[in-house]
Amino acid sequence: MAKLHVSTTINGEPQEFLCDADQSMLDVLRGPLGLTGSKEGCGSGDCGACSITLDGRLVCSCLMLAAEAEGRQIGTIEGMAGEELHPLQTKFLEMAALQCGICTPGVLMAAKSLLERNPDPTEHEVRFWLAGNLCRCTGYDKIVRAVMETAADMRGGAR
Ligand code: FES
Ligand code: FES
């Protein structure tokens, strides 16, 4: 099958790649592009470990065709930190809101997406937003507390 040529932007940088018509974005990220931060937990849209953003919207990269990246803006966990870690990353480390870490890139991408839309979420809203990110290790409480505390810190300690 002839390969498709895709021109896209990943974490603010222009990027080109070849892919099969039925190849997932996750496959291309983790394979030819070498961006292995996005994880494959299920490959079927159930676990959220592969979460990325597509034009600013959170998506499961295992369910997205790589060809759909043409002309779009892709954000991955590799682009989350600038010169310093993102406050969510720092807080997850401080509060040990991870164990094996397989779910963590997806959780962080989802949490960042939430705080961009809602800088003052309730615990219920955090849990609801992260319901698509499965974690087999932490029991979720540390994750939720880390997101709540990051939100408070980013608002200037208002809570
Ligand atoms: S690997 Fe994509 S949702 Fe699980
Ligand atoms: S830290 Fe292991 S799956 Fe979440």
Side-chain angles (χ1 to χ4, degrees):
M1 195 186 339
K3 297 275 188 187
L4 302 175
H5 178 267
V6 175
S7 298
T8 188
T9 303
I10 299 182
N11 299 327
E13 299 290 332
Q15 189 70 254
E16 299 189 18
F17 59 81
L18 297 174
C19 65
D20 294 322
D22 61 354
Q23 196 169 5
S24 75
M25 191 67 221
L26 180 61
D27 266 356
V28 171
L29 286 172
R30 292 183 52 81
L33 297 181
L35 297 173
T36 55
S38 303
K39 304 303 182 201
E40 179 163 10
C42 66
S44 56
D46 294 321
C47 75
C50 64
S51 298
I52 62 170
T53 55
L54 175 64
D55 293 339
R57 291 190 57 204
L58 196 66
V59 298
C60 291
S61 60
C62 70
L63 297 182
M64 174 187 162
L65 291 173
E68 293 180 272
E70 175 67 34
R72 316 284 287 276
Q73 299 277 339
I74 304 287
T76 73
I77 189 68
E78 286 85 356
M80 192 164 179
E83 298 208 343
E84 297 185 352
L85 291 178
H86 185 281
L88 279 164
Q89 294 173 306
T90 305
K91 189 64 75 179
F92 270 57
L93 285 172
E94 280 174 10
M95 296 185 65
L98 64 148
Q99 291 182 31
C100 80
I102 290 290
C103 71
T104 311
V107 170
L108 287 169
M109 291 299 288
K112 178 168 178 277
S113 183
L114 168 64
L115 297 188
E116 285 167 358
R117 286 160 179 74
N118 179 2
D120 190 10
T122 63
E123 180 178 337
H124 178 77
E125 286 169 334
V126 172
R127 289 184 181 274
F128 185 83
W129 186 269
L130 295 180
N133 293 87
L134 304 185
C135 176
R136 64 190 172 180
C137 306
T138 65
Y140 300 102
D141 283 344
K142 286 183 177 178
I143 290 175
V144 172
R145 283 208 303 278
V147 174
M148 300 285 294
E149 284 203 17
T150 305
D153 289 350
M154 291 175 75
R155 294 192 311 273
R159 175 169 296 205

